[in-house]
Amino acid sequence: MKAKKSRRPLTRREKLSFRAEWLALRFIGGILRSMPLDWSSAFMGNMWRLIAPMTHRHARAKAHIMAAYPEMTLNEADKIIRDMWENLGRVSAETVLLSKIHKDPSRVTYVNPEVFEPSVGEGAVLVTMHSGNWEVVSDKAEELGLPLAGVYQKLKNPYSEGYLVEKRNFIYKLGLFCKGHDTGTKIISILRKKGSVAFVADVRDHRGVKIEFFKQPSAATHIPAALARTMNKRLIAVVARRKKGSRFDIIAKEIPVARTKDRVQDAITTTQAVHDQFEEWIREEPSQWMWIMKKWI
């Protein structure tokens, strides 16, 4: 059996840098928690709208959206990306304030909860994308009868990692797992026990499958599609759409899972269907999706 590749020890310089970042994160988090939720969200949104367009990522995001919308003018792209920065700033505040969102039942509304009903007691595979505030997608899943496990990408900074996991852990009643060697085994065990698993599935993944996204070649993770097929579970795409301030509508759509004798093609077909749905939602609210991602090949 191949041995696990262990993480190398941090250098003294890395420790100092990571601790400084962690302390700054905790300090800002403390300030945000001292303010009403909507004030904190608006404050960070306005700060990001002001500062982020000065960075190199602003040009990258504009290039991405104009490639996806060839008919779009530079001014139209600039306006949408500035709105995107405000949304991402709000997300940065809301991530450390998830408990406040959770405690107010009016903040998160499931528009079509009936989509989840056939999976109650059976479990399902859920996929979402970096839109609205993807962190709140799982907020009331347990109330729907679908306690969840979450899968996420580990941060380089172990101190900030621990802080942010602590702020999100309570939402995932079946556990929050970083991607790693043994994560697959844990997820399969949860699905076998009729639990549900949630993935953020819109990032580029060269180890996944090749699909088309906004009429351009892209790469995407096939893991949710493969799990739904292998474990005979329903696959549900979910998006959190921001309304006013820190209030969200959760919209769900079941994705047909291809089940033929060709499991590789099935993974491609189903993953394409997931991204077709993502694209439809993005076209409805383009300013709420994270255009800074390097999604295309």
Side-chain angles (χ1 to χ4, degrees), residues 81-153:
I81 298 307
R82 287 175 188 272
D83 290 343
M84 177 206 75
W85 285 126
E86 179 178 338
N87 183 70
L88 290 178
R90 287 178 174 274
V91 172
S92 71
E94 291 157 358
T95 298
V96 299
L97 300 173
L98 284 173
S99 61
K100 285 191 176 185
I101 294 175
H102 182 71
K103 289 174 183 176
D104 184 346
S106 69
R107 297 258 174 203
V108 179
T109 302
Y110 282 83
V111 173
N112 50 350
E114 67 276 4
V115 174
F116 299 95
E117 288 174 3
S119 297
V120 174
E122 296 297 327
V125 177
L126 275 61
V127 287
T128 190
M129 59 180 181
H130 290 91
S131 186
N133 185 339
W134 52 97
E135 299 286 359
V136 306
V137 162
S138 308
D139 182 60
K140 291 186 173 65
E142 190 175 23
E143 294 178 17
L144 295 175
L146 290 173
L148 283 174
V151 181
Y152 73 99
Q153 183 66 49

Side-chain angles (χ1 to χ4, degrees), residues 15-206:
K15 286 182 180 180
L16 289 173
S17 175
F18 285 160
R19 282 192 179 276
E21 180 185 287
W22 168 69
L23 288 171
L25 181 61
R26 290 182 63 90
F27 176 71
I28 294 170
I31 293 174
L32 294 174
R33 285 195 300 275
S34 70
M35 300 162 61
L37 173 58
D38 287 309
W39 290 16
S40 297
S41 175
F43 171 73
M44 290 298 284
N46 288 328
M47 289 295 291
W48 280 51
R49 175 183 279 274
L50 177 66
I51 297 170
M54 302 177 190
T55 70
H56 71 281
R57 291 188 174 187
H58 188 68
R60 178 205 295 173
K62 284 200 296 184
H64 288 171
I65 194 171
M66 292 181 74
Y69 294 82
E71 73 284 1
M72 186 174 288
T73 67
L74 189 61
N75 286 339
E76 289 171 335
D78 189 72
K79 181 183 183 304
I80 291 173
I81 298 307
R82 287 175 188 272
D83 290 343
M84 177 206 75
W85 285 126
E86 179 178 338
N87 183 70
L88 290 178
R90 287 178 174 274
V91 172
S92 71
E94 291 157 358
T95 298
V96 299
L97 300 173
L98 284 173
S99 61
K100 285 191 176 185
I101 294 175
H102 182 71
K103 289 174 183 176
D104 184 346
S106 69
R107 297 258 174 203
V108 179
T109 302
Y110 282 83
V111 173
N112 50 350
E114 67 276 4
V115 174
F116 299 95
E117 288 174 3
S119 297
V120 174
E122 296 297 327
V125 177
L126 275 61
V127 287
T128 190
M129 59 180 181
H130 290 91
S131 186
N133 185 339
W134 52 97
E135 299 286 359
V136 306
V137 162
S138 308
D139 182 60
K140 291 186 173 65
E142 190 175 23
E143 294 178 17
L144 295 175
L146 290 173
L148 283 174
V151 181
Y152 73 99
Q153 183 66 49
K154 196 170 188 175
L155 297 177
K156 291 181 180 179
N157 186 332
Y159 310 113
S160 297
E161 159 90 3
Y163 176 75
L164 292 174
V165 167
E166 178 190 347
K167 299 301 177 188
R168 303 156 67 200
N169 235 344
F170 72 95
I171 294 177
Y172 299 95
K173 302 303 180 182
L174 302 183
L176 184 56
F177 305 99
C178 65
K179 294 178 182 178
H181 295 281
D182 58 348
T183 305
T185 302
K186 294 175 182 176
I187 294 306
I188 288 172
S189 176
I190 288 168
L191 290 171
R192 279 178 177 159
K193 294 175 182 176
K194 299 186 177 181
S196 298
V197 182
F199 296 85
V200 181
D202 60 338
V203 296
R204 182 174 67 179
D205 185 352
H206 288 299

Side-chain angles (χ1 to χ4, degrees), residues 67-68 70 211-218 272 279 283 296:
I211 58 161
E212 187 178 88
F213 191 55
F214 282 90
K215 299 181 180 179
Q216 298 180 76
S218 181
Q272 181 66 64
E279 181 177 331
R283 287 186 180 278
W296 292 277

Side-chain angles (χ1 to χ4, degrees), residues 115 119 123-127 197 199 223-229 232-238 253-259 270-271 273-274:
V115 174
S119 297
V125 177
L126 275 61
V127 287
V197 182
F199 296 85
I223 300 301
L227 281 172
R229 178 188 182 278
N232 197 29
K233 301 293 182 181
R234 296 172 71 231
L235 181 61
I236 304 174
V238 191
K253 180 72 176 292
E254 181 175 2
I255 304 297
V257 178
R259 294 185 172 93
T270 304
T271 304
V274 167

